[in-house]
Amino acid sequence: MEIRLLRSEDSTAVSEIIRRCLREINSRDYPEEIIGRMCEYFSPERIMQLAEARQMFVAVDDGTVVGTVSRDGNKVFTMFVQPQGISRGVGRRLMGHIETLAANEGYEYMETGASITAHGFYQRLGYLDVRTSETEFGFNYILRKTLRSRPTVS
Ligand SMILES: CC(C)(COP(=O)(O)OP(=O)(O)OC[C@H]1O[C@@H](n2cnc3c(N)ncnc32)[C@H](O)[C@@H]1OP(=O)(O)O)[C@@H](O)C(=O)NCCC(=O)NCCS
C-alpha cells in the first residue's frame, strides 16, 4: 500500500469514500440531517478546494484509493477508510504518515477532532481527550497526542 498526496483525479474516489463512510458507519452515531449535510459538503469539488488549503493524502492499494487523511500543520482532518477496508491497519498507517511529517517539522503534539464513531480509534493510537466541541457537523471530541521528532544523524 502506498501513501501519497492527493491528485486531482482522486477527488471523485475520495468524495465517494467519505460519503459512504458517513452513510454506512457514522450514521450510527449522528442524525440523518447532519449526515445529509456532510455528504453534500464533501463533493469532489470541495475535496479539491480542501487539498489546496491542507496537505491531503490518499492510501492506494493496487491502484485503488482505499483511504484518506489530511493535515494542516499538526491538525488532523478528513480521516476516512473505505467501509469494506476498515480494521486492516489503513487508518493507523495514514495517521503514522502525517504524525511523522508533523514531528519532523518540530510540532510537539498532534491534534484531532474526532467523531463519536472514531473516538476509540484515536484513543487506541495514543490520543488523549482534551475537550469536547459542538460544530456545525455535530458533537466532536478534541484529542491530542505528544509527538517525538526523529533524531537527526550528524
Ligand atoms: C475510524 C477509521 C478511520 C479507522 O480506520 P481503520 O483503518 O479501520 O483503523 P485501523 O485498522 O488502522 O485500526 C487501528 C487500531 O484502532 C482500533 N480501532 C479502529 N477503529 C476503532 C473504533 N472505532 N473504536 C475503537 N478502536 C478502533 C483497531 O482495532 C486497531 O487496533 P489494533 O491496531 O490494536 O488492532 C475508520 O474506521 C473509518 O473510516 N470510520 C468511519 C469514518 C470516520 O469515523 N472517520 C473519522 C472521522 S473523525
Side-chain angles (χ1 to χ4, degrees), residues 21 25-26 79-81 85-93 113-115 117-118 120-122 124-125:
C21 279
I25 302 171
N26 300 88
M79 170 77 256
F80 291 91
V81 173
I86 64 170
S87 299
R88 291 184 195 160
V90 177
R92 185 188 279 280
R93 286 180 68 177
S115 61
T117 327
F121 164 70
Y122 287 112
R124 189 79 188 144
L125 265 53

Side-chain angles (χ1 to χ4, degrees), residues 17-148:
I17 286 173
I18 295 175
R19 286 171 164 172
R20 280 197 56 204
C21 279
L22 290 167
R23 290 195 193 102
E24 295 173 29
I25 302 171
N26 300 88
S27 58
R28 294 177 202 148
D29 300 310
Y30 290 88
E32 208 179 305
E33 182 264 323
I34 286 181
I35 296 296
R37 205 141 33 89
M38 290 183 82
C39 285
E40 202 174 312
Y41 179 84
F42 285 110
S43 64
E45 296 74 27
R46 181 82 61 182
I47 299 300
M48 288 313 299
Q49 285 172 10
L50 293 174
E52 281 172 29
R54 304 171 190 159
Q55 253 187 343
M56 200 152 189
F57 294 94
V58 287
V60 182
D61 189 16
D62 207 13
T64 301
V65 177
V66 294
T68 189
V69 72
S70 57
R71 72 155 187 145
D72 181 358
N74 64 341
K75 304 276 188 333
V76 184
F77 299 92
T78 55
M79 170 77 256
F80 291 91
V81 173
Q82 63 175 3
Q84 69 271 37
I86 64 170
S87 299
R88 291 184 195 160
V90 177
R92 185 188 279 280
R93 286 180 68 177
L94 281 164
M95 286 302 299
H97 188 77
I98 61 170
E99 286 167 2
T100 301
L101 292 174
N104 290 344
E105 287 172 12
Y107 289 101
E108 289 178 1
Y109 65 87
M110 206 76 191
E111 183 171 300
T112 188
S115 61
I116 296 165
T117 327
H119 189 211
F121 164 70
Y122 287 112
Q123 288 178 316
R124 189 79 188 144
L125 265 53
Y127 284 74
L128 300 174
D129 285 313
V130 175
R131 60 191 159 86
T132 60
S133 112
E134 201 57 61
T135 74
E136 59 172 325
F137 293 138
F139 180 87
N140 262 324
Y141 295 92
I142 309 297
L143 302 97
R144 285 184 186 171
K145 176 181 178 176
T146 302
L147 298 174
R148 286 176 224 303

